[in-house]
Amino acid sequence: MRITTFPLGVLETNSYLLDNGQKALAIDVGGDPAPVLDFLKKEGLDLEAILVTHRHFDHQYGIAALQKETDAPAYVPAGDDPIAGTELSQGGMWGMPLVPPFKATPFASSLSLASFRPEVLLTPGHSPGAVAFYFPEEGCVFSGDTLFYHSMGRTDFAMGDQAALLDSITRVLFALPDKTAVYPGHGLATSIGEERNHNPYIGDFASRP
């Protein structure tokens, strides 16, 4: 499975495109999807679906435009329904633009796709219904804004929960093999082992004297 990263939007959200040479899967389309569409056309790929790790505005800006061109369904975590009607999800806060309306298909704890087999990991904390998408055969996880390179998600937004975030990282994500590649919502890619051993906020490094 090939993974291509497109930093999109004003907050440079990492928007990922996964493909198997024929079908493609988009994760967190955070801005104008023109580069994604160009890549799909150049490589002759059919976009099967759009996945959303959490319903914050900067992870949804490009969904409507991508749907318009591809008719791909957009799967959003049902656990984020409580924030779906707020500025945090629809845009407008901090003077940011509004998120163009798109057709959302909520999911709870699993997804059934024709060409891809992501495992849905429930990782609340940054948002009430945040999830990560784990691909065990490829050894990678898309962590949204839960876990970053040497950092972790913020919890000062509405319905953020630091205790829940720490539990999501230490109990759920750190249960994955150390070699698992971590593709976060912003910034550099990392690995579970790297964060377990060297993240200054969590894991083994944080507990050293």
Side-chain angles (χ1 to χ4, degrees), residues 67-89:
Q67 280 189 325
K68 181 179 179 181
E69 297 297 326
T70 65
D71 292 322
Y75 295 100
V76 302
D80 268 353
D81 284 354
I83 65 169
T86 70
E87 283 188 338
L88 187 56
S89 180

Side-chain angles (χ1 to χ4, degrees), residues 19 51 83 90 93 121 164 169 174 179-180 201:
D19 80 87
L51 306 186
I83 65 169
Q90 296 188 348
M93 63 187 303
L121 306 180
I169 294 171
F174 282 2
K179 65 181 181 180
T180 303
Y201 300 99

Side-chain angles (χ1 to χ4, degrees), residues 33-50:
V36 178
L37 289 165
D38 288 345
F39 188 87
L40 290 169
K41 182 177 180 180
K42 177 183 175 182
E43 300 295 323
L45 301 171
D46 177 35
L47 186 63
E48 184 171 303
I50 303 163

Side-chain angles (χ1 to χ4, degrees), residues 121-144:
L121 306 180
L122 303 182
T123 55
H126 179 67
S127 77
V131 303
F133 298 109
Y134 176 46
F135 293 79
E137 293 184 2
E138 288 78 17
C140 63
V141 63
F142 296 84
S143 61

